[in-house]
Amino acid sequence: MSDINAQRVAERIETVLDILVAGDYHSAIRNLEILKAELLTQVKPDASPGADDSRSPWEI
């Protein structure tokens, strides 16, 4: 079972929202990418970052 702290994730999402409100979209996107990679590492510790690049057709 993974050790994901929901409170910590919520705080980091709040930080990204603050960055978006400030208008720094590139930093917000980068922070979301970092958070996603960290969460995937916790869920699948044996998977390398970026190994699962399956995306929905509407994602760019």
Side-chain angles (χ1 to χ4, degrees):
M1 178 163 270
S2 63
D3 184 25
I4 296 175
N5 183 340
Q7 180 64 37
R8 182 70 179 128
V9 172
E11 290 169 1
R12 291 181 67 183
I13 291 171
E14 183 66 30
T15 300
V16 171
L17 290 173
D18 291 342
I19 293 169
L20 282 171
V21 169
D24 190 354
Y25 305 112
H26 296 289
S27 291
I29 291 168
R30 182 67 189 133
N31 278 285
L32 286 174
E33 290 172 342
I34 292 168
L35 179 58
K36 175 188 167 188
E38 290 175 5
L39 289 172
L40 288 175
T41 300
Q42 288 185 9
V43 174
K44 298 184 264 183
D46 56 334
S48 61
D52 183 20
D53 285 336
S54 60
R55 294 180 176 233
S56 300
W58 57 85
E59 292 180 326
I60 298 173

